[in-house]
Amino acid sequence: MQNEAIRDAFIGMSTAWMNKMATSPGQLREKVALFWHGHFACRTRRPDDSLALLNTIREKALGKFPDLLLAVSQEPAMLQFLNNQQNRKEHPNENFAREVMELFTLGRGNYTENDVKEAARAFTGWSYDAQSRFTFRERQHDAGPKTLLGQTGNFGGEDALRIIMQQPAAATFIVTKLYRFFVNDVPNPAHIEPLTVAFRKSHYDIGDLLERMFSADWFYEPAAMATIIKSPVVLVAGLRRTLNLKVDNDKQLLGYQKALGQTLFMPPNVAGWPCGRAWIDSSSLLLRLQLPSILFKNAEFAVRLKDDENDITPQTTGRERTVKNTETTHLPLAPIQQLLGGAPTENQPQLLADFLLQAPLRPENLALVQQAAAKATTPEERLRNTLLSLLSLPEYQLA
């Protein structure tokens, strides 16, 4: 019963967030929150704590990174996930300190093992109470002198974070990771360096960094277009948002995300979800390409769900199951028809491709879409066939 209650709570949270991604006017905040959700990967069996962490991330997603870092580091969900409640002056636990430097701020190679030990001492006493509120347990804190990243003093946790953020590697690490999420999985040093300089000068202003990134000429060059494989959440949320899809039971969509390898609030490990080509394997690629058919035509598809040893419902993973959409998916055609205006029928596939796809539609794929449209007997069916064909192309998997 307890597992069921926990599972239902996480399902409710995931469904609510997916709805927000699909309908919120603050689309950028939600997408940046999704980025930080993977960056500050955290997994607990306490839904309230996980939701509190997400709300903190969403609130500070576009502010100053040091403020976001401090707030996230003091969230009970993160302290519990990284074992800092076990970090006491008599027996320091290095897990939290290590992940703060390796995964949140600096990256490997930019700190020493001694820095990890000294940072762990600084974070001793950081904990949370029975009401899931951050608390500093002074008697568990090591108040002695510490040498961290070349500085010496009687540092506490906030001091440690401040010293970490003074390292040049911090700006480079964050900028590069955001670049890989929004621009290209292969960073361009000519783009990264000026962004990093500006990020440091702005005192790590995330909104300013993204504005510079999105307003750069190179952001709109062909080399930066259609270079990122959409994550499962981005793929499903994008389908819903772009086409204003309505599903009678939107919990069904969470199953597709899970089959594709991304379940909100359940990152696979402390490093978060992979990116780029890691999203694609033989099973997931076929499901991605057939997802529109599953949604719009009640097609069936056999898929082996990803193994997940930490899943709260392990009976659903590690085995093949048949995916079928048993709920009605509503695709309003009126907005699409309005978008097309009075365009001639033969021009509609290319116009819709320009609207839906980041990558140019190859001539051979345009011919396939036109063939599918030609099989229709009514204008509405022709439009649906055109949409379905475009959404089923490999080009739609790219952002």
Side-chain angles (χ1 to χ4, degrees), residues 24-172:
S24 170
Q27 184 179 8
L28 176 62
R29 183 173 295 275
E30 296 309 316
K31 190 160 186 180
V32 177
L34 177 63
F35 167 79
W36 293 126
H37 184 58
H39 180 80
F40 294 111
C42 180
R43 184 167 181 158
T44 78
R45 287 177 56 84
R46 300 172 65 166
D48 290 349
D49 288 354
S50 293
L51 184 59
L53 174 59
L54 173 61
N55 287 337
T56 292
I57 286 174
R58 181 183 285 123
E59 176 189 351
K60 299 183 181 297
L62 294 168
K64 298 292 182 71
F65 180 76
D67 297 338
L68 172 63
L69 175 64
L70 175 61
V72 167
S73 297
Q74 292 186 339
E75 278 291 334
M78 188 62 71
L79 293 168
Q80 186 274 330
F81 182 58
L82 297 180
N83 310 118
N84 208 71
Q85 78 279 14
Q86 302 169 14
N87 188 14
R88 302 175 174 87
K89 61 182 178 182
E90 298 88 356
H91 303 287
N93 185 300
E94 299 174 4
N95 195 33
F96 180 79
R98 183 180 302 279
E99 305 309 348
V100 164
M101 288 191 280
E102 178 181 334
L103 299 176
F104 298 169
T105 58
L106 300 178
R108 289 184 180 179
N110 294 303
Y111 58 88
T112 67
E113 283 300 306
N114 190 66
D115 289 325
V116 173
K117 296 179 185 298
E118 297 292 87
R121 293 176 59 210
F123 288 121
T124 52
W126 277 30
S127 190
Y128 53 90
D129 61 21
Q131 287 73 45
S132 284
R133 297 174 301 198
F134 173 78
T135 186
F136 175 62
R137 304 190 188 281
E138 187 171 2
R139 291 198 296 181
Q140 296 177 3
H141 177 63
D142 183 342
K146 309 162 187 75
T147 299
L148 174 61
L149 294 165
Q151 299 187 38
T152 301
N154 298 332
F155 300 136
E158 292 189 28
D159 299 314
L161 294 179
R162 172 180 53 78
I163 292 168
I164 289 169
M165 290 309 302
Q166 290 172 355
Q167 308 307 304
T172 303

Side-chain angles (χ1 to χ4, degrees), residues 220-237:
Y220 301 95
E221 292 175 353
M225 306 298 287
T227 59
I228 299 171
I229 297 174
K230 296 175 183 176
S231 75
V233 167
V234 171
L235 177 66
V236 174

